[in-house]
Amino acid sequence: QKEVEQNSGPLSVPEGAIASLNCTYSDRVSQSFFWYRQYSGKSPELIMSIYSNGDKEDGRFTAQLNKASQYVSLLIRDSQPSDSATYLCAAYNNNDMRFGAGTRLTVKP
Amino acid sequence: EAQVTQNPRYLITVTGKKLTVTCSQNMNHEYMSWYRQDPGLGLRQIYYSMNVEVTDKGDVPEGYKVSRKEKRNFPLILESPSPNQTSLYFCASSFLAGVETQYFGPGTRLLVL
């Protein structure tokens, strides 16, 4: 069974700190990886996508991919209360998109 | 405005009464998919469609049907709903699968009694 695993949290960080979210996946041939943010009662929205090993930065967000370890992470710098949400990790291969259960992040003012 | 719409947004029904949840996108996307979201289980793919008349099963297709007669529409059909299909359902679309941003609809909350 192909799995994407995330720590459910909640992860609590103070405003201005770095939030680190982690994800592992079991399907070794997964090609693409995504981080979605989902506010309570809302639909997921894409934050970052990453396809190759290494880091990818976009504003306050950095995604990291290590295919050898089957590990994806998302760093949020200068965390804001508006970043409080559930973050979903997803892995894609051959039309099959697998999501983790999500990590709930709370940023405290 | 580019969007994915779903109807209805909320639905309460009884076991065995056929229902359809509609999904429509106005972005000319080829790839569309349906997910269900349950607490602790995350999003699970039900069915997806690569293009008109091309559909395939996702991770949890049992009890569901789909059709893709037009590019913009991708309805989800529950022929005989059961209580274990009580869930939050999302439709999503993108130009290409797996490499492009996937846009999600607002969700349909279904309760089967």
Side-chain angles (χ1 to χ4, degrees):
Chain A
Q1 180 76 348
K2 303 170 188 173
E3 302 284 349
V4 176
E5 302 282 348
Q6 296 181 252
N7 188 325
S8 63
L11 173 65
S12 182
V13 300
E15 183 174 357
I18 296 175
S20 178
L21 305 163
N22 304 314
C23 170
T24 59
Y25 60 95
S26 64
D27 186 0
R28 185 169 290 278
V29 297
S30 292
Q31 303 163 326
S32 316
F33 304 88
F34 305 87
W35 282 100
Y36 286 83
R37 178 176 61 200
Q38 187 176 24
Y39 293 112
S40 180
K42 301 295 185 182
S43 54
E45 55 181 340
L46 184 70
I47 299 175
M48 296 280 289
S49 58
I50 187 165
Y51 310 110
S52 55
N53 280 330
D55 295 359
K56 179 181 178 182
E57 187 174 320
D58 184 0
R60 295 186 296 112
F61 299 96
T62 299
Q64 300 173 317
L65 173 60
N66 183 326
K67 288 188 176 180
S69 302
Q70 296 176 235
Y71 176 87
V72 193
S73 67
L74 179 70
L75 299 178
I76 307 174
R77 289 181 299 281
D78 189 23
S79 295
Q80 301 297 308
S82 59
D83 294 326
S84 297
T86 296
Y87 289 80
L88 306 173
C89 173
Y92 172 85
N93 178 49
N94 194 28
N95 300 320
D96 183 13
M97 182 75 86
R98 298 275 170 157
F99 283 82
T103 298
R104 188 155 57 92
L105 172 67
T106 300
V107 181
K108 295 187 174 181
Chain B
E1 180 189 355
Q3 60 182 354
V4 179
T5 58
Q6 293 179 228
N7 282 292
R9 294 289 312 280
Y10 305 91
L11 180 59
I12 301 174
T13 189
V14 295
T15 298
K17 186 176 181 181
K18 181 180 178 179
L19 66 92
T20 298
V21 184
T22 64
C23 172
S24 183
Q25 50 92 5
N26 63 359
M27 295 170 278
N28 202 35
H29 286 167
E30 294 191 349
Y31 182 82
M32 298 185 74
S33 60
W34 275 103
Y35 298 89
R36 61 178 288 174
Q37 187 172 35
D38 303 289
L41 296 177
L43 283 162
R44 292 180 292 168
Q45 192 175 49
I46 302 170
Y47 269 94
Y48 63 90
S49 170
M50 300 296 289
N51 213 323
V52 175
E53 302 291 3
V54 181
T55 64
D56 208 344
K57 297 177 181 178
D59 194 27
V60 288
E62 295 78 19
Y64 304 94
K65 286 175 58 177
V66 293
S67 68
R68 187 92 181 270
K69 292 183 172 57
E70 305 166 283
K71 198 170 188 177
R72 63 183 293 130
N73 296 324
F74 190 44
L76 179 70
I77 303 156
L78 284 71
E79 294 269 0
S80 182
S82 62
N84 65 12
Q85 293 178 299
T86 292
S87 188
L88 177 59
Y89 291 87
F90 288 104
C91 179
S93 74
S94 63
F95 276 114
L96 296 171
V99 292
E100 297 281 344
T101 299
Q102 199 167 194
Y103 295 89
F104 282 82
T108 294
R109 194 168 290 278
L110 173 65
L111 173 61
V112 183
L113 300 173

